[in-house]
Amino acid sequence: MADGVRCMWMRGGTSKGGYFLADELPSDVAARDAFLLRVMGSPDERQIDGMGGADPLTSKVGVVRKSDRPGIDVDYLFLQVFVDRPLVTDKQNCGNILAGIGAFAIERGLVEPSGETTDVRIFMENTEQVAIATIQTPGGKVSYEGEARIDGVPGTAAPVLLAFEDTAGSSCGALLPTGNAVDEIEGVAVTMIDNGMPCVIMRASDMGISGDESPADLEANEALRAKLEAIRLKAGPLMNLGDVKDNSVPKMTMVSKAKNGGAISTRTFIPHRCHSSIGVLGAVSVATACLLAEGPAAELSDAGEGTERSLAIEHPTGEMTVVATLGPDGEVVRTAILRTARKLFDGTVFG
């Protein structure tokens, strides 16, 4: 598109990408995806001819429109633009890019600020679920300045509280798509779970690692990567996701005992690169697995007690705390998580 398209580049949580209004992108999906591949500079491991940062965490897109749904402010579609392949997929959600959606909606005039803070009700098109983002809006304008700090991001920023309800089975149709808290794939005990993000959770020790290795070391472990992919390809159909060879889900999370006072320690492949932290909804699914009666995460975690639990999910660059509210039968009925976001630039991007 020689004339370019209006775009706001934002950091959302520990991810970064382009935020677009839906009606300003090509309406044809193939044309839209071709444009976004050009914008990011894919396929190229350096993404040198585009805006992407040569990492799945910085090759993301949020597409937003004003919603016609009752009680909903905006609809949000997440698109993952692969770095080294000519592929754009909507097969997953992204809670980090979600952290910037509320601010973007207000900045673009889709939502009117309502006071010192503004709640933006967001329908997540990928999973047909609702999130509520609380945005700081003193004086009727979005503020990105504040004292909130999240691991994986330097400095501080304004807090963005994200609350989720009814996310169980968002992509797989059920919290535990096989009906089991524990299954065995390739001789490894796993929990296949979906509370906003489809994840396969297994003990790090069962994969031949300690669970505190660096992402670079894990990516260099060819035997580990091959075994993870073998498990993932078999898990896909079992999780009602079909053939996942070209999909970015399920995420593959290896868990071990917490090292720094949290609930559990994680190392996650997303699915072929090791995450430098952990995704928002991935953390929600892991926290939920910690609260099951059995399974790798439940057996290794310190999940606390009571109807409201704060679970610090440790990852390579720190931790992410998930606040889970439990129902009368011990089921997770609501989760909330603290994120931050920052506007990086607003202008025109060319494809």
Side-chain angles (χ1 to χ4, degrees):
M1 300 180 70
D3 294 334
V5 172
R6 188 166 59 145
C7 173
M8 187 178 292
W9 221 261
M10 300 183 76
R11 175 188 60 77
T14 52
S15 293
K16 185 166 58 176
Y19 290 66
F20 296 86
L21 291 177
D23 61 7
E24 295 180 351
L25 284 171
S27 57
D28 177 74
V29 171
R32 179 202 68 190
D33 291 354
F35 171 72
L36 294 176
L37 287 166
R38 287 281 294 162
V39 165
M40 289 297 183
S42 299
D44 171 33
E45 64 181 13
R46 295 187 302 155
Q47 291 184 318
I48 194 66
D49 195 34
M51 299 294 297
D55 189 291
L57 302 182
T58 57
S59 189
K60 298 184 173 187
V61 169
V63 182
V64 183
R65 71 180 79 237
K66 192 168 184 62
S67 184
D68 294 326
R69 306 171 198 274
I72 301 297
D73 295 309
V74 296
D75 296 342
Y76 151 55
L77 176 69
F78 170 70
L79 298 172
Q80 178 71 60
V81 182
F82 278 55
V83 174
D84 56 354
R85 298 168 63 188
L87 183 62
V88 178
T89 178
D90 63 0
K91 299 301 184 184
Q92 69 170 80
N93 211 333
C94 180
N96 276 306
I97 291 298
L98 173 67
I101 295 296
F104 175 75
I106 296 170
E107 294 256 24
R108 285 289 189 259
L110 303 183
V111 176
E112 289 293 325
S114 58
E116 291 297 298
T117 63
T118 300
D119 284 348
V120 180
R121 294 184 63 84
I122 302 164
F123 181 80
M124 300 179 287
E125 293 185 43
N126 305 73
T127 53
E128 299 187 343
Q129 305 291 334
V130 175
I132 301 96
T134 301
I135 308 301
Q136 304 297 308
T137 52
K141 293 184 178 181
V142 175
S143 174
Y144 298 97
E145 302 297 323
E147 299 304 316
R149 184 186 302 275
I150 60 173
D151 287 331
V153 178
T156 63
V160 176
L161 183 68
L162 299 176
F164 305 95
E165 297 176 359
D166 301 323
T167 52
S170 60
S171 297
C172 302
L175 179 70
L176 300 171
T178 67
N180 305 318
V182 185
D183 290 282
E184 186 174 301
I185 302 178
E186 294 281 311
V188 176
V190 302
T191 295
M192 290 177 277
I193 190 167
D194 173 17
N195 197 10
M197 178 62 70
C199 293
V200 180
I201 300 171
M202 66 215 81
R203 297 178 188 86
S205 59
D206 288 347
M207 301 300 291
I209 66 170
S210 65
D212 58 4
E213 292 89 347
S214 71
D217 286 344
L218 294 178
E219 285 192 14
N221 188 332
E222 296 290 345
L224 171 67
R225 293 177 64 178
K227 190 168 186 179
L228 282 172
E229 185 65 359
I231 293 172
R232 193 179 78 88
L233 292 177
K234 289 186 176 180
L238 297 173
M239 298 179 75
N240 302 316
L241 297 170
D243 182 356
V244 296
K245 180 181 177 182
D246 292 327
N247 289 356
S248 55
V249 289
K251 309 303 187 188
M252 307 297 290
T253 298
M254 297 168 286
V255 294
S256 57
K257 284 280 190 181
K259 311 297 192 299
N260 298 295
I264 200 164
S265 179
T266 64
R267 293 295 185 269
T268 300
F269 275 72
I270 56 170
H272 303 124
R273 297 281 299 273
C274 188
H275 206 314
S276 60
S277 55
I278 190 171
V280 169
L281 292 163
V284 169
S285 288
V286 171
T288 305
C290 291
L291 297 168
L292 297 175
E294 59 177 331
E299 293 164 10
L300 291 170
S301 68
D302 180 4
E305 298 180 351
T307 57
E308 186 166 286
R309 315 277 186 95
S310 291
L311 294 91
I313 309 301
E314 297 180 359
H315 54 73
T317 51
E319 61 88 16
M320 185 183 298
T321 296
V322 177
V323 179
T325 303
L326 278 59
D329 296 323
E331 74 280 14
V332 176
V333 296
R334 183 180 188 272
T335 56
I337 202 158
L338 178 70
R339 296 278 83 191
T340 65
R342 188 166 81 87
K343 178 170 65 173
L344 302 176
F345 81 69
D346 191 2
T348 302
V349 69
F350 297 87

